[in-house]
Amino acid sequence: MNDWPDGWSDENRSNRYGRGSAGAQPESARVMRQVRRGPSAPGPGQDAPPYGGGVPRQPSYVDGQGYDDGYGDNGYDSGYNTGQTYGAPDGPGGPQGPGGGAYPQRPAPNWRRRIKWTAITLVTALVVVSVGTYFWADSKLHRDVDLSKVIDRPETGEGTNYLIVGSDSRAGMSAEEKKKLHTGSAEGKRTDSMMILHTGSNGSTLVSLPRDSDVEIPTFKGSESGKTYQGTGKHTKLNAAYAMDGPELLVRTIEANTGLHIDHYVEIGFGGFASIVDAVGGVEMTLDKGFKDKYSGADFKAGKQTLNGEQALAFVRTRHAFAASDLERTKNQQKFLAALAHQVATPSTVLNPFKLYPTMGAGLDSLIVDKDMGLWDLADMFWAMKGVTGGDGKSMNMPISGSSGGNLVWDRTKMKALVEQLKNDETVTVSGN
């Protein structure tokens, strides 16, 4: 039975793939085009009209690229998705849309907005780190000295006066550390070095007070007992005042013998000093000549060298190797402080958190200060000392006129002139030893 229209036969079938196809290839997807019906379809017994007469020409497959209807209009949809995003012809995703292609165009990055938020993030992080560092550092200060216990104090002057003390405290040191640092195991603590640092609008001045300075112990109130002890007029070495009743009596003795008001007190012990030096990676020094001292453990050759914590402590403590004894030692202490301040303030330390925080930790944890001392006061003291020891200011020993019973006697005339200049925050013109 032939199902084709009248006048058609199987010979009229083209070699396409589909049902009944004898082709070797598998049947591919096929979509039938819509056939528009004319006003009248051919009835039974009528011949099929020619092409153009109401029946569209059947499409043919061309080069595997789709169907060709023979009229040049290759609008046939084979059903395969070529990756296009379909939409309205003139919509944003269509070929006539503003993107000019199949996908919508990505908006350009807003660099001004990105830079603003990056800056805000960095500033916020910096503030958080700074605040955290401040409270961390503030918690490490040991505010153990109460200057309110000091009696009969002179009036305050212009500027700020810091009393900086290096003690032979062995607190927290093991027997091995004491042996290594040549500190001995004496009970209690004494002062190895004392300096007055004045800061003000006319520059800073650092005055070293030899530990063997001849002073009179005045009437004072005991820092622990609260009892008043009357002065006897007895003269002794300055460091004996510290040994008798600690920092409060030392401040009282200096104020009574000079007339200069001390605003803040800062003390560091043997172990803390060595730890700071090791934390910054050592301090470079240039020595004009070498020296040895069995008491401090010093053994130095002339020339440039880097001192570690143990060597630095021996350097600043040595006095038996010098003819000028304590006066020569105070000069070496000032030289070393200049080198240490320079090392701490270098970018390699300040900009390196792995070196900065250990240095700050070692320094702050080993400091003993007065109850009114704040971090800003400590920073002011450090930068003033760095400036003075670096040549931007004046450093000197207390003027000495001679000795008495092994004690160094201050030149009273020069000392009074020096104190007046410091009180009035004037440029210091007095020279020291």
Side-chain angles (χ1 to χ4, degrees):
M1 179 177 179
N2 192 344
D3 295 332
W4 293 93
D6 293 343
W8 286 35
S9 67
D10 288 344
E11 285 75 11
N12 295 105
R13 298 174 63 184
S14 60
N15 190 22
R16 296 188 182 93
Y17 302 109
R19 287 183 185 173
S21 171
Q25 296 186 25
E27 180 181 7
S28 38
R30 178 176 58 187
V31 178
M32 298 300 293
R33 290 174 60 94
Q34 294 289 338
V35 178
R36 186 178 62 183
R37 300 292 182 181
S40 60
Q46 292 183 348
D47 290 338
Y51 288 117
V55 178
R57 184 177 182 178
Q58 298 300 303
S60 63
Y61 196 84
V62 179
D63 296 331
Q65 301 299 317
Y67 287 88
D68 185 2
D69 60 6
Y71 297 100
D73 180 13
N74 190 11
Y76 177 71
D77 185 353
S78 68
Y80 290 101
N81 191 338
T82 61
Q84 277 189 315
T85 301
Y86 293 93
D90 295 327
Q96 305 303 321
Y103 295 98
Q105 190 176 30
R106 176 179 294 179
N110 189 336
W111 289 108
R112 179 176 295 181
R113 181 184 177 86
R114 290 187 180 185
I115 292 173
K116 181 185 75 172
W117 282 108
T118 300
I120 291 175
T121 302
L122 291 176
V123 170
T124 302
L126 180 61
V127 170
V128 171
V129 171
S130 299
V131 172
T133 299
Y134 177 87
F135 285 104
W136 167 78
D138 189 72
S139 67
K140 283 187 165 293
L141 284 178
H142 300 283
R143 296 181 173 92
D144 300 335
V145 179
D146 189 357
L147 295 183
S148 67
K149 295 179 180 179
V150 180
I151 62 173
D152 300 333
R153 309 191 67 184
E155 294 183 0
T156 58
E158 300 294 327
T160 304
N161 298 314
Y162 300 91
L163 177 59
I164 304 171
V165 175
S167 75
D168 64 358
S169 171
R170 300 158 180 83
M173 296 176 62
S174 65
E176 184 179 350
E177 289 172 328
K178 292 177 183 178
K179 182 179 179 180
K180 178 182 177 182
L181 298 176
H182 301 273
T183 65
S185 299
E187 295 297 327
K189 58 181 181 179
R190 286 154 294 277
T191 53
D192 256 28
S193 61
M194 291 159 282
M195 304 176 185
I196 295 175
L197 175 66
H198 173 83
T199 64
S201 57
N202 285 304
S204 302
T205 303
L206 183 65
V207 182
S208 291
L209 308 176
R211 55 175 282 176
D212 294 338
S213 297
D214 186 81
V215 296
E216 178 183 338
I217 302 296
T219 298
F220 68 97
K221 179 183 290 186
S223 59
E224 297 296 333
S225 66
K227 295 174 55 177
T228 299
Y229 298 88
Q230 294 295 327
T232 62
K234 178 184 176 181
H235 282 242
T236 185
K237 289 180 171 58
L238 180 59
N239 69 334
Y242 184 94
M244 288 174 61
D245 198 50
E248 289 85 0
L249 181 54
L250 178 61
V251 171
R252 167 72 176 128
T253 302
I254 291 174
E255 290 185 343
N257 283 266
T258 63
L260 184 67
H261 182 92
I262 301 299
D263 298 292
H264 291 293
Y265 177 92
V266 180
E267 176 188 329
I268 187 169
F270 282 165
F273 180 83
S275 297
I276 294 174
V277 176
D278 286 334
V280 297
V283 175
E284 189 176 273
M285 295 284 295
T286 300
L287 307 183
D288 297 330
K289 54 184 179 181
F291 58 87
K292 291 183 179 182
D293 182 10
K294 66 177 182 179
Y295 297 99
S296 66
D299 185 4
F300 298 106
K301 293 180 173 59
K304 182 181 292 186
Q305 52 207 287
T306 299
L307 309 185
N308 60 23
E310 177 185 348
Q311 296 168 324
L313 185 59
F315 179 78
V316 300
R317 292 182 61 213
T318 297
R319 62 185 180 119
H320 296 285
F322 311 122
S325 188
D326 209 31
L327 290 177
E328 186 67 25
R329 177 169 69 168
T330 56
K331 292 178 181 178
N332 282 342
Q333 289 170 350
Q334 291 179 353
K335 290 178 183 177
F336 184 83
L337 287 176
L340 176 60
H342 174 75
Q343 179 67 27
V344 170
T346 56
S348 62
T349 300
V350 176
L351 301 180
N352 183 356
F354 297 103
K355 185 179 286 188
L356 175 63
Y357 282 93
T359 302
M360 291 178 62
L364 295 170
D365 198 40
S366 59
L367 290 180
I368 296 175
V369 299
D370 64 271
K371 293 185 179 298
D372 295 327
M373 186 80 162
L375 287 180
W376 296 119
D377 300 311
L378 199 61
D380 174 66
M381 184 197 78
F382 173 79
W383 288 111
M385 179 174 286
K386 176 182 179 296
V388 170
T389 55
D392 185 16
K394 186 179 180 67
S395 60
M396 57 184 289
N397 280 327
M398 179 66 78
I400 303 297
S401 61
S403 63
S404 174
N407 297 347
L408 297 174
V409 179
W410 294 346
D411 186 322
R412 307 301 296 183
T413 302
K414 286 187 175 181
M415 186 268 290
K416 287 182 179 180
L418 172 63
V419 169
E420 285 301 312
Q421 290 175 346
L422 294 178
K423 277 186 174 181
N424 298 323
D425 195 25
E426 297 172 352
T427 302
V428 172
T429 59
V430 178
S431 60
N433 295 79

